[in-house]
Amino acid sequence: MKRKRRTGLIISVILAIIVVVGIAGIVHQRFGKTSTTTVRLGLVGTDSEPVWDNVRKRLKKQGINIEYVIFNDYVQPDVALKDGKIDMHSCLTRYYFESYNKQQNAHLTAIGNTVISPLGLYSQKYKKLQDLPNGATIAIPNEPTTLGRGLNALQSAGLIKVKKDSGIKPSLKDITSNPRNLQFKEVDPATAARALNSVDAAIINGNYAVAANLNPKKGSIYLEPINKAAKPYVNIIAVQEKNKDNEVYKKVVAAYQTEQTKQAIEKTYKGAQEAAWPIYGRN
């Protein structure tokens, strides 16, 4: 009789253990498993993917999956963000972004600085700025914001002067002094590098310079200074206003603004872009 009781007790204990282990397994599966959050990130072109790949790899360990949504122009990312087709974008300058946001009452906001891409003046004919002859022809991007930025860069180089009240968007009509009688040829920003064959020098965006195998720091005859005046041209990470305090999005920004990312930017762009947050702050 005692043996039967002992055997029954042992069986009861074993069954109890099985039940407890089973319940623990269910609880772990339901509550212990780390969930993954997908963030749809808008980019223009693919040149920034190597940098974001670096960030994405680290975010994956935090349960955040970055899904790229690639656009071919700089208008669609803001539209897509406004319409909720993407969760954030990282491809526009602060000035361009804020202009769209204000004009369209889009209720978008910047939550982090990423990079700044200085404009460069390049030439296949001359190695120094002072070598540019009188009457030299300069190719300059025809997009109004970049054209104005290019003229301000030429002013900082001492080649021209523009109206003081023209701000960051002077036009060719705002040139007040042109002692070398420079001639300007307006071109599409994407074709400025190709125009080097037919002009004396060209203002070229950093990303297009790299695509044309031009080294901004070594190959330009003048590079736009990275100073307070250049802050409107800092690229930003943007989200809808209602999501500005989203903890996942904050983690994305935090993962981007790290020394690892800074090194990836230097390796990828070789001076065509620089980490902006060490210079201008995190936002």
Side-chain angles (χ1 to χ4, degrees):
M1 182 67 70
K2 289 183 178 180
R3 184 176 296 176
K4 288 183 179 180
R5 289 179 179 176
R6 186 178 298 171
T7 301
L9 181 60
I10 292 172
I11 292 173
S12 298
V13 170
I14 292 173
L15 289 174
I17 292 172
I18 292 173
V19 171
V20 170
V21 171
I23 292 174
I26 292 172
V27 170
H28 176 74
Q29 288 180 355
R30 184 169 296 181
F31 301 104
K33 187 177 180 180
T34 302
S35 60
T36 299
T37 302
T38 295
V39 176
R40 298 165 298 172
L41 173 69
L43 302 173
V44 172
T46 59
D47 68 287
S48 63
E49 283 189 20
V51 175
W52 272 104
D53 284 347
N54 181 286
V55 179
R56 180 163 69 169
K57 185 177 180 180
R58 286 180 276 119
L59 283 170
K60 191 173 183 180
K61 296 177 181 178
Q62 301 181 47
I64 300 171
N65 175 52
I66 299 295
E67 178 184 298
Y68 300 144
V69 180
I70 306 301
F71 298 95
N72 296 319
D73 63 60
Y74 291 98
V75 176
Q76 292 307 309
D78 273 336
V79 176
L81 183 58
K82 177 176 178 290
D83 294 342
K85 294 179 180 178
I86 58 176
D87 301 305
M88 60 171 54
H89 68 57
S90 174
C91 48
L92 304 180
T93 63
R94 185 173 293 275
Y95 175 80
Y96 186 92
F97 168 76
E98 290 179 349
S99 296
Y100 172 87
N101 200 27
K102 183 177 180 180
Q103 292 172 4
Q104 300 298 322
N105 193 27
H107 299 289
L108 308 176
T109 188
I111 60 172
N113 292 325
T114 56
V115 297
I116 185 166
S117 181
L119 288 182
L121 180 64
Y122 299 82
S123 177
Q124 291 183 345
K125 299 179 180 179
Y126 307 101
K127 293 185 177 181
K128 296 180 180 180
L129 188 67
Q130 54 267 35
D131 294 338
L132 283 175
N134 290 334
T137 298
I138 309 293
I140 191 165
N142 59 8
E143 189 276 317
T145 300
T146 313
L147 187 149
R149 184 181 178 186
L151 291 177
N152 278 328
L154 294 176
Q155 177 172 249
S156 68
L159 294 176
I160 62 171
K161 289 183 180 180
V162 298
K163 290 180 180 178
K164 291 183 178 180
D165 60 354
S166 59
I168 66 173
K169 283 183 65 176
S171 67
L172 293 174
K173 295 180 180 180
D174 292 320
I175 297 175
T176 58
S177 176
N178 184 4
R180 298 197 192 187
N181 192 32
L182 300 176
Q183 306 300 306
F184 295 97
K185 179 180 180 180
E186 295 185 56
V187 298
D188 185 279
T191 66
R194 292 199 293 274
L196 282 172
N197 295 322
S198 59
V199 297
D200 295 295
I203 290 284
I204 306 175
N205 295 67
N207 58 325
Y208 293 127
V210 171
N213 295 317
L214 297 170
N215 187 307
K217 288 189 175 180
K218 296 180 179 179
S220 63
I221 60 175
Y222 183 76
L223 199 61
E224 178 186 44
I226 303 301
N227 53 25
K228 185 178 180 180
K231 186 174 182 178
Y233 308 121
V234 170
N235 284 56
I236 48 88
I237 294 174
V239 299
Q240 293 183 354
E241 278 184 0
K242 64 182 181 181
N243 294 323
K244 65 180 181 179
D245 295 320
N246 183 293
E247 291 302 321
V248 171
Y249 300 164
K250 286 182 178 181
K251 288 180 180 179
V252 173
V253 174
Y256 191 99
Q257 295 176 339
T258 60
E259 180 61 27
Q260 296 101 308
T261 308
K262 184 174 182 291
Q263 291 176 8
I265 291 169
E266 292 170 355
K267 181 180 179 181
T268 301
Y269 293 110
K270 299 177 176 59
Q273 294 188 9
E274 295 186 27
W277 66 93
I279 305 170
Y280 298 100
R282 296 192 177 275
N283 190 22

